[in-house]
Amino acid sequence: QVQLVESGGGLVQPGGSLRLSCAASGVIFSINAMGWYRQAPGNQRELVALITSGGRINYADSVKGRFTISRDNAKKTVYLQMNSVKPEDTAVYYCKGDIGRWDRRDYWGQGTQVTVSS
């Protein structure tokens, strides 16, 4: 069925940059909104950024001006460009896609670890 696979996570220094990717595969008829979420130890999973099929974007206040979400519909891929990262950005980052097949539902990736540390 549908798979969403994140990549690009890893260790980065404070103030550095990282680019996350999430590619969808399988039998997919449409991809609507796609988003990035994150969860740090002891914290709730929170929305980082969301982009609709029409290109409308929402960011969490904590990442505005630092992160940029984008998508490539031909590649069925959503990206998160992370600039000026801070230690508090450390978390597992998950992508979510609102995907249509013979039905329409949310699909989640397995997550990728981002660690911001010196």
Side-chain angles (χ1 to χ4, degrees):
Q1 293 189 25
V2 173
Q3 284 189 308
L4 276 69
V5 180
E6 300 99 335
S7 62
L11 178 64
V12 61
Q13 295 181 340
S17 297
L18 207 63
R19 192 192 194 202
L20 306 183
S21 299
C22 176
S25 63
V27 178
I28 297 172
F29 297 159
S30 65
I31 301 178
N32 303 290
M34 301 191 74
W36 286 97
Y37 297 72
R38 67 186 182 187
Q39 187 166 23
N43 288 35
Q44 295 180 271
R45 186 172 299 186
E46 63 177 353
L47 174 68
V48 176
L50 182 72
I51 182 168
T52 70
S53 60
R56 297 188 185 93
I57 295 172
N58 290 318
Y59 294 104
D61 288 341
S62 60
V63 307
K64 284 182 179 177
R66 300 189 297 118
F67 292 5
T68 303
I69 189 171
S70 61
R71 62 191 289 170
D72 185 328
N73 291 330
K75 296 181 178 179
K76 299 178 182 177
T77 300
V78 62
Y79 306 93
L80 186 68
Q81 179 66 46
M82 305 168 60
N83 296 330
S84 302
V85 296
K86 304 174 181 179
E88 50 262 45
D89 295 322
T90 296
V92 178
Y93 284 71
Y94 300 89
C95 68
K96 186 192 76 173
D98 176 8
I99 293 175
R101 288 154 46 82
W102 293 274
D103 62 355
R104 178 175 168 179
R105 54 158 287 192
D106 289 337
Y107 291 83
W108 290 86
Q110 291 187 352
T112 185
Q113 176 71 47
V114 173
T115 302
V116 182
S117 176
S118 298

mmCIF file of all heavy atoms in Angstrom, residues 55-79:
data_model
loop_
_atom_site.group_PDB
_atom_site.id
_atom_site.type_symbol
_atom_site.label_atom_id
_atom_site.label_comp_id
_atom_site.label_asym_id
_atom_site.label_seq_id
_atom_site.Cartn_x
_atom_site.Cartn_y
_atom_site.Cartn_z
ATOM 1 N N GLY A 55 -0.932 25.164 -2.236
ATOM 2 C CA GLY A 55 0.248 25.919 -1.864
ATOM 3 C C GLY A 55 0.102 26.799 -0.632
ATOM 4 O O GLY A 55 1.031 27.544 -0.302
ATOM 5 N N ARG A 56 -1.029 26.734 0.051
ATOM 6 C CA ARG A 56 -1.177 27.493 1.293
ATOM 7 C C ARG A 56 -0.351 26.842 2.389
ATOM 8 O O ARG A 56 -0.332 25.626 2.527
ATOM 9 C CB ARG A 56 -2.634 27.580 1.713
ATOM 10 C CG ARG A 56 -3.521 28.322 0.723
ATOM 11 C CD ARG A 56 -4.909 28.530 1.301
ATOM 12 N NE ARG A 56 -5.820 29.138 0.343
ATOM 13 C CZ ARG A 56 -6.621 28.450 -0.461
ATOM 14 N NH1 ARG A 56 -6.633 27.129 -0.414
ATOM 15 N NH2 ARG A 56 -7.417 29.092 -1.305
ATOM 16 N N ILE A 57 0.318 27.649 3.204
ATOM 17 C CA ILE A 57 1.278 27.163 4.183
ATOM 18 C C ILE A 57 0.983 27.740 5.559
ATOM 19 O O ILE A 57 0.679 28.922 5.700
ATOM 20 C CB ILE A 57 2.715 27.533 3.766
ATOM 21 C CG1 ILE A 57 3.089 26.816 2.463
ATOM 22 C CG2 ILE A 57 3.703 27.187 4.869
ATOM 23 C CD1 ILE A 57 4.400 27.263 1.871
ATOM 24 N N ASN A 58 1.092 26.885 6.562
ATOM 25 C CA ASN A 58 1.036 27.296 7.959
ATOM 26 C C ASN A 58 2.272 26.789 8.682
ATOM 27 O O ASN A 58 2.710 25.662 8.460
ATOM 28 C CB ASN A 58 -0.216 26.745 8.646
ATOM 29 C CG ASN A 58 -1.487 27.390 8.161
ATOM 30 O OD1 ASN A 58 -1.550 28.596 7.960
ATOM 31 N ND2 ASN A 58 -2.531 26.583 7.977
ATOM 32 N N TYR A 59 2.835 27.631 9.555
ATOM 33 C CA TYR A 59 3.986 27.260 10.370
ATOM 34 C C TYR A 59 3.663 27.416 11.849
ATOM 35 O O TYR A 59 2.896 28.309 12.237
ATOM 36 C CB TYR A 59 5.194 28.139 10.075
ATOM 37 C CG TYR A 59 5.785 27.990 8.699
ATOM 38 C CD1 TYR A 59 5.575 28.948 7.719
ATOM 39 C CD2 TYR A 59 6.585 26.892 8.388
ATOM 40 C CE1 TYR A 59 6.128 28.825 6.462
ATOM 41 C CE2 TYR A 59 7.145 26.756 7.127
ATOM 42 C CZ TYR A 59 6.913 27.728 6.170
ATOM 43 O OH TYR A 59 7.469 27.601 4.921
ATOM 44 N N ALA A 60 4.280 26.577 12.657
ATOM 45 C CA ALA A 60 4.262 26.814 14.089
ATOM 46 C C ALA A 60 5.032 28.099 14.392
ATOM 47 O O ALA A 60 6.021 28.414 13.721
ATOM 48 C CB ALA A 60 4.893 25.644 14.836
ATOM 49 N N ASP A 61 4.585 28.843 15.393
ATOM 50 C CA ASP A 61 5.256 30.092 15.741
ATOM 51 C C ASP A 61 6.734 29.881 16.054
ATOM 52 O O ASP A 61 7.566 30.745 15.761
ATOM 53 C CB ASP A 61 4.567 30.743 16.939
ATOM 54 C CG ASP A 61 3.214 31.329 16.595
ATOM 55 O OD1 ASP A 61 2.945 31.557 15.399
ATOM 56 O OD2 ASP A 61 2.427 31.567 17.525
ATOM 57 N N SER A 62 7.067 28.753 16.627
ATOM 58 C CA SER A 62 8.434 28.489 17.047
ATOM 59 C C SER A 62 9.411 28.331 15.890
ATOM 60 O O SER A 62 10.625 28.423 16.091
ATOM 61 C CB SER A 62 8.487 27.240 17.930
ATOM 62 O OG SER A 62 8.004 26.107 17.234
ATOM 63 N N VAL A 63 8.907 28.094 14.678
ATOM 64 C CA VAL A 63 9.797 27.868 13.536
ATOM 65 C C VAL A 63 9.648 28.923 12.448
ATOM 66 O O VAL A 63 10.397 28.885 11.458
ATOM 67 C CB VAL A 63 9.597 26.468 12.917
ATOM 68 C CG1 VAL A 63 9.719 25.393 13.985
ATOM 69 C CG2 VAL A 63 8.263 26.366 12.188
ATOM 70 N N LYS A 64 8.739 29.856 12.609
ATOM 71 C CA LYS A 64 8.543 30.891 11.598
ATOM 72 C C LYS A 64 9.826 31.683 11.381
ATOM 73 O O LYS A 64 10.492 32.080 12.325
ATOM 74 C CB LYS A 64 7.415 31.833 12.011
ATOM 75 C CG LYS A 64 6.022 31.257 11.841
ATOM 76 C CD LYS A 64 4.954 32.267 12.227
ATOM 77 C CE LYS A 64 3.562 31.699 12.026
ATOM 78 N NZ LYS A 64 2.511 32.647 12.457
ATOM 79 N N GLY A 65 10.154 31.901 10.129
ATOM 80 C CA GLY A 65 11.360 32.622 9.775
ATOM 81 C C GLY A 65 12.598 31.759 9.711
ATOM 82 O O GLY A 65 13.650 32.236 9.257
ATOM 83 N N ARG A 66 12.499 30.506 10.145
ATOM 84 C CA ARG A 66 13.654 29.610 10.142
ATOM 85 C C ARG A 66 13.450 28.386 9.257
ATOM 86 O O ARG A 66 14.392 27.933 8.609
ATOM 87 C CB ARG A 66 13.980 29.151 11.565
ATOM 88 C CG ARG A 66 14.319 30.289 12.517
ATOM 89 C CD ARG A 66 14.849 29.760 13.848
ATOM 90 N NE ARG A 66 13.842 28.966 14.555
ATOM 91 C CZ ARG A 66 13.985 27.676 14.861
ATOM 92 N NH1 ARG A 66 15.102 27.032 14.518
ATOM 93 N NH2 ARG A 66 13.033 27.029 15.515
ATOM 94 N N PHE A 67 12.226 27.845 9.237
ATOM 95 C CA PHE A 67 11.931 26.643 8.460
ATOM 96 C C PHE A 67 11.090 26.995 7.245
ATOM 97 O O PHE A 67 10.290 27.937 7.275
ATOM 98 C CB PHE A 67 11.159 25.623 9.299
ATOM 99 C CG PHE A 67 11.930 25.005 10.432
ATOM 100 C CD1 PHE A 67 13.210 25.421 10.759
ATOM 101 C CD2 PHE A 67 11.358 23.986 11.169
ATOM 102 C CE1 PHE A 67 13.912 24.848 11.805
ATOM 103 C CE2 PHE A 67 12.044 23.398 12.218
ATOM 104 C CZ PHE A 67 13.312 23.825 12.542
ATOM 105 N N THR A 68 11.243 26.206 6.192
ATOM 106 C CA THR A 68 10.461 26.381 4.978
ATOM 107 C C THR A 68 9.954 25.025 4.497
ATOM 108 O O THR A 68 10.747 24.096 4.312
ATOM 109 C CB THR A 68 11.285 27.033 3.857
ATOM 110 O OG1 THR A 68 11.798 28.294 4.299
ATOM 111 C CG2 THR A 68 10.411 27.254 2.622
ATOM 112 N N ILE A 69 8.643 24.917 4.301
ATOM 113 C CA ILE A 69 8.062 23.700 3.760
ATOM 114 C C ILE A 69 7.780 23.907 2.275
ATOM 115 O O ILE A 69 7.400 24.999 1.849
ATOM 116 C CB ILE A 69 6.776 23.295 4.519
ATOM 117 C CG1 ILE A 69 6.303 21.907 4.083
ATOM 118 C CG2 ILE A 69 5.682 24.332 4.342
ATOM 119 C CD1 ILE A 69 5.168 21.350 4.937
ATOM 120 N N SER A 70 7.974 22.867 1.489
ATOM 121 C CA SER A 70 7.690 22.912 0.062
ATOM 122 C C SER A 70 7.314 21.517 -0.411
ATOM 123 O O SER A 70 7.497 20.533 0.313
ATOM 124 C CB SER A 70 8.886 23.453 -0.730
ATOM 125 O OG SER A 70 10.021 22.625 -0.571
ATOM 126 N N ARG A 71 6.798 21.422 -1.628
ATOM 127 C CA ARG A 71 6.421 20.117 -2.166
ATOM 128 C C ARG A 71 6.677 20.069 -3.658
ATOM 129 O O ARG A 71 6.620 21.085 -4.352
ATOM 130 C CB ARG A 71 4.951 19.790 -1.856
ATOM 131 C CG ARG A 71 3.941 20.747 -2.468
ATOM 132 C CD ARG A 71 2.541 20.524 -1.894
ATOM 133 N NE ARG A 71 1.940 19.280 -2.360
ATOM 134 C CZ ARG A 71 0.815 18.753 -1.872
ATOM 135 N NH1 ARG A 71 0.179 19.364 -0.867
ATOM 136 N NH2 ARG A 71 0.328 17.625 -2.363
ATOM 137 N N ASP A 72 6.949 18.872 -4.140
ATOM 138 C CA ASP A 72 7.120 18.595 -5.550
ATOM 139 C C ASP A 72 6.078 17.543 -5.900
ATOM 140 O O ASP A 72 6.248 16.367 -5.590
ATOM 141 C CB ASP A 72 8.533 18.097 -5.844
ATOM 142 C CG ASP A 72 8.806 17.915 -7.326
ATOM 143 O OD1 ASP A 72 7.877 17.571 -8.085
ATOM 144 O OD2 ASP A 72 9.965 18.107 -7.741
ATOM 145 N N ASN A 73 5.007 17.971 -6.525
ATOM 146 C CA ASN A 73 3.899 17.064 -6.796
ATOM 147 C C ASN A 73 4.281 15.952 -7.772
ATOM 148 O O ASN A 73 3.804 14.825 -7.645
ATOM 149 C CB ASN A 73 2.703 17.842 -7.331
ATOM 150 C CG ASN A 73 2.075 18.744 -6.289
ATOM 151 O OD1 ASN A 73 2.114 18.453 -5.094
ATOM 152 N ND2 ASN A 73 1.487 19.844 -6.733
ATOM 153 N N ALA A 74 5.131 16.266 -8.742
ATOM 154 C CA ALA A 74 5.556 15.256 -9.705
ATOM 155 C C ALA A 74 6.331 14.134 -9.027
ATOM 156 O O ALA A 74 6.246 12.975 -9.430
ATOM 157 C CB ALA A 74 6.390 15.886 -10.812
ATOM 158 N N LYS A 75 7.106 14.479 -8.007
ATOM 159 C CA LYS A 75 7.888 13.491 -7.269
ATOM 160 C C LYS A 75 7.155 12.957 -6.047
ATOM 161 O O LYS A 75 7.686 12.089 -5.346
ATOM 162 C CB LYS A 75 9.225 14.088 -6.841
ATOM 163 C CG LYS A 75 10.134 14.463 -7.997
ATOM 164 C CD LYS A 75 11.449 15.035 -7.494
ATOM 165 C CE LYS A 75 12.367 15.373 -8.642
ATOM 166 N NZ LYS A 75 13.654 15.949 -8.165
ATOM 167 N N LYS A 76 5.963 13.471 -5.789
ATOM 168 C CA LYS A 76 5.178 13.073 -4.613
ATOM 169 C C LYS A 76 6.015 13.193 -3.350
ATOM 170 O O LYS A 76 6.048 12.291 -2.508
ATOM 171 C CB LYS A 76 4.642 11.646 -4.785
ATOM 172 C CG LYS A 76 3.728 11.479 -5.986
ATOM 173 C CD LYS A 76 3.271 10.037 -6.142
ATOM 174 C CE LYS A 76 2.393 9.880 -7.370
ATOM 175 N NZ LYS A 76 1.992 8.474 -7.578
ATOM 176 N N THR A 77 6.667 14.336 -3.210
ATOM 177 C CA THR A 77 7.615 14.554 -2.132
ATOM 178 C C THR A 77 7.366 15.896 -1.459
ATOM 179 O O THR A 77 7.091 16.890 -2.133
ATOM 180 C CB THR A 77 9.056 14.504 -2.659
ATOM 181 O OG1 THR A 77 9.303 13.214 -3.237
ATOM 182 C CG2 THR A 77 10.055 14.735 -1.537
ATOM 183 N N VAL A 78 7.473 15.914 -0.142
ATOM 184 C CA VAL A 78 7.406 17.136 0.628
ATOM 185 C C VAL A 78 8.741 17.336 1.328
ATOM 186 O O VAL A 78 9.374 16.368 1.752
ATOM 187 C CB VAL A 78 6.237 17.111 1.641
ATOM 188 C CG1 VAL A 78 6.411 15.996 2.660
ATOM 189 C CG2 VAL A 78 6.081 18.463 2.322
ATOM 190 N N TYR A 79 9.179 18.590 1.442
ATOM 191 C CA TYR A 79 10.469 18.926 2.015
ATOM 192 C C TYR A 79 10.301 19.860 3.203
ATOM 193 O O TYR A 79 9.337 20.618 3.289
ATOM 194 C CB TYR A 79 11.366 19.622 0.987
ATOM 195 C CG TYR A 79 11.552 18.867 -0.298
ATOM 196 C CD1 TYR A 79 10.727 19.107 -1.393
ATOM 197 C CD2 TYR A 79 12.561 17.915 -0.430
ATOM 198 C CE1 TYR A 79 10.902 18.422 -2.583
ATOM 199 C CE2 TYR A 79 12.738 17.226 -1.616
ATOM 200 C CZ TYR A 79 11.907 17.484 -2.689
ATOM 201 O OH TYR A 79 12.083 16.797 -3.868
#
